[in-house]
Amino acid sequence: MTAQTPIPVSPVAQPRAIGSVRLTTKARDGQTVIDDLYQQGASKVVFPRADVGLSGVLLNTSGGVTGGDRFGYAATAGTRTHLTLTTQACERAYRAQPGEIGRISTQLSVEDGATLWWLPQETLVFDGCALRRSLRCDLAPGARALIVEPLCIGRIAMGENAVSGLVEDRISVLRDGVPLVQDAWRLAGDMSARMLGSAVGGGATAMVSLTFIAPEAEQHLDRLRALLPDSGGASLLAPDVLVLRMLAPSGYLLRQHLLPILDHVTGGRLPLCWRL
């Protein structure tokens, strides 16, 4: 009996999630309504009742983001409209195959006299993840915006306190083509160990960035500083441009401080899914 030559087996390409949402709003009879909507693949958006303007809740039907996934969101708040965008639940960045990176790209535009609140819930980073995110917000001269991006590294309640991988994040905010805020950071390798550094995270596993652009931004500064823990800070880049950063030992403690801040800035009109 002769030996059989092994048949070479090619690696099977794993299925990848692709999703996109494009949304624009317009004013009609003093109300904010949908002007145009497109949704494709694993990205969906639903519109529950809102206390102010139009509220959209983004859903990722694939359950999370892993290497090779591509998600893109584009939203325009039309003149004299108010648009709020949030997520149904926390986004999850799962383990990725070597050499593959999941990407989330967000493009926001706010026209004159309009307001846009970008309020996604936390992104949960799992061990072995590879995630690259970018967000750009273009403002007209008379536009207002609130942009919040919270993130948690590891699942402390599940005992996952040693997390390695890659996370890159970039936020750009421009008004009439002039940069107002440019915020970029990157964690790679043993992320948990890097966050122990006093100049990086001081042992924190959760963080949030908040950018608030409105004529009354300066009036909120003292109150927001009073609501922050010692591991947070708020500053004015201009009288109408406020930025806030906060670190926390856990996602629970991050929310404990973040919810009162968001309630203050939104006037108590935070989307209901943040409280479930």
Side-chain angles (χ1 to χ4, degrees):
M1 183 175 181
T2 58
Q4 298 292 319
T5 302
I7 299 174
V9 178
S10 300
V12 178
Q14 296 297 312
R16 295 299 175 228
I18 298 175
S20 63
V21 169
R22 296 198 304 268
L23 168 68
T24 61
T25 63
K26 64 182 179 181
R28 186 175 66 192
D29 299 328
Q31 303 293 318
T32 299
V33 298
I34 297 171
D35 183 30
D36 186 55
L37 172 63
Y38 170 84
Q39 49 190 349
Q40 178 250 345
S43 293
K44 309 294 181 186
V45 59
V46 296
F47 300 94
R49 291 185 179 180
D51 292 334
V52 58
L54 182 72
S55 181
V57 179
L58 298 167
L59 293 79
N60 177 357
T61 59
S62 72
V65 182
T66 188
D69 291 352
R70 301 289 184 270
F71 291 91
Y73 305 107
T76 297
T79 303
R80 297 186 302 279
T81 66
H82 190 297
L83 174 63
T84 300
L85 290 172
T86 185
T87 54
Q88 180 191 31
C90 297
E91 185 61 278
R92 290 164 172 79
Y94 291 122
R95 176 180 294 274
Q97 294 294 324
E100 294 190 337
I101 297 177
R103 302 175 190 271
I104 303 175
S105 175
T106 303
Q107 300 279 337
L108 306 175
S109 180
V110 194
E111 297 181 355
D112 191 43
T115 298
L116 190 148
W117 291 347
W118 175 256
L119 301 172
Q121 298 188 65
E122 299 90 337
T123 295
L124 305 181
V125 173
F126 285 57
D127 186 38
C129 80
L131 176 66
R132 183 171 292 151
R133 300 191 306 183
S134 66
L135 182 150
R136 173 171 171 146
C137 181
D138 289 283
L139 305 171
R144 305 158 58 100
L146 172 62
I147 300 169
V148 177
E149 284 285 5
L151 182 140
C152 300
I153 298 173
R155 299 167 295 168
I156 304 303
M158 302 293 292
E160 189 178 74
N161 50 19
V163 180
S164 296
L166 168 69
V167 179
E168 295 182 4
D169 205 17
R170 180 179 296 274
I171 297 175
S172 301
V173 182
L174 302 91
R175 179 164 53 203
D176 204 19
V178 178
L180 296 179
V181 178
Q182 297 283 353
D183 187 15
W185 60 269
R186 180 178 188 269
L187 277 175
D190 190 338
M191 295 188 289
S192 296
R194 293 182 183 278
M195 288 296 290
L196 291 174
S198 59
V200 181
T205 66
M207 64 185 80
V208 64
S209 68
L210 181 152
T211 302
F212 180 52
I213 300 170
E216 71 276 12
E218 188 172 6
Q219 302 172 22
H220 293 280
L221 181 61
D222 289 343
R223 179 56 180 162
L224 294 187
R225 283 176 170 171
L227 291 170
L228 283 167
D230 292 340
S231 56
S235 301
L236 290 172
L237 302 185
D240 61 345
V241 180
L242 186 153
V243 295
L244 179 150
R245 303 291 183 267
M246 179 170 56
L247 299 168
S250 67
Y252 172 80
L253 292 174
L254 184 78
R255 276 211 173 203
Q256 196 172 51
H257 291 284
L258 181 58
L259 284 175
I261 289 170
L262 294 180
D263 275 331
H264 177 76
V265 177
T266 65
R269 296 191 293 269
L270 194 60
L272 180 61
C273 54
W274 267 85
R275 306 189 190 280
L276 297 179

